[in-house]
């Protein structure tokens, strides 16, 4: 199937690049974009809203991908597509025993850091991207009309 090849050539390596650079907003955006566009292989573009409704992680990936593409994104009437600007996706520096982080942003005993949202610093973008990719793979298995 084409989607399997897309995951193998694009999604998985792009997520791996983000994992290797966990505080890189650029890598976060590229990974979100790659995962978001995987739905093109499911003939499910018309179901974008259904995907957002079914998976909070996919909804976040959608928001991030479109925030960078359009600078600002969102629709206040859609709870899964709350407004987000590209500037609202931020690096979260590490903070552990010998390294001081950013007060109110870093997480205690976090030796790696990450990417989060200015408006919701509890979000770990890498975890959401991985979960969204897993969600799309599950949809692939359940949709016999995926592009082959």
């Amino acid at each position: 199937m084409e989607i399997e090849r897309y995951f193998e050539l694009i999604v998985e390596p792009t997520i791996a690049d983000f994992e290797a650079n966990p505080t890189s907003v650029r890598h976060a955006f590229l990974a979100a974009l790659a995962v978001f566009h995987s739905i093109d292989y499911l003939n499910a573009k018309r179901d974008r809203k259904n995907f957002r409704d079914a998976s909070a992680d996919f909804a976040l990936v959608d928001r991030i991908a479109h925030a960078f593409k359009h600078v600002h994104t969102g629709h206040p009437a859609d709870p899964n597509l709350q407004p987000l600007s590209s500037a609202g996706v931020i690096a979260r520096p590490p903070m552990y025993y010998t390294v001081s982080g950013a007060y109110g942003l870093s997480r205690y005993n976090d030796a790696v850091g990450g990417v989060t949202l200015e408006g919701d610093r509890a979000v770990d973008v890498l975890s959401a991207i991985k979960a969204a990719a897993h969600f799309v793979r599950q949809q692939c298995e359940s949709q016999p009309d995926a592009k082959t």
Side-chain angles (χ1 to χ4, degrees), residues 3 15 19 23 28-29 31 36 38 43 59 68 72 75-76 81-82 84 91 98 101 110 118 126 138:
I3 191 165
I15 291 173
E19 283 181 302
T23 60
F29 164 64
F36 174 77
S38 64
N43 295 326
F68 277 91
H72 299 280
H75 193 284
L81 200 54
Q82 291 300 304
L84 179 65
T98 59
D110 176 5
E118 179 65 46
L126 178 58
Q138 286 179 320

Side-chain angles (χ1 to χ4, degrees), residues 49-124:
K49 183 181 180 332
N50 293 337
F51 275 47
R52 286 193 314 260
D53 291 345
S55 169
D57 294 309
F58 185 83
L60 178 60
V61 162
D62 184 338
R63 289 174 63 211
I64 292 169
H66 285 89
F68 277 91
K69 181 179 178 187
H70 301 290
V71 184
H72 299 280
T73 191
H75 193 284
D78 185 341
N80 292 320
L81 200 54
Q82 291 300 304
L84 179 65
S85 73
S86 61
V89 181
I90 59 173
R92 186 187 70 240
M95 180 171 70
Y96 56 101
Y97 181 67
T98 59
V99 175
S100 8
Y103 181 77
L105 176 58
S106 296
R107 296 176 181 169
Y108 180 72
N109 211 23
D110 176 5
V112 177
V115 173
T116 191
L117 303 181
E118 179 65 46
D120 187 356
R121 294 180 175 184
V123 168
D124 181 68

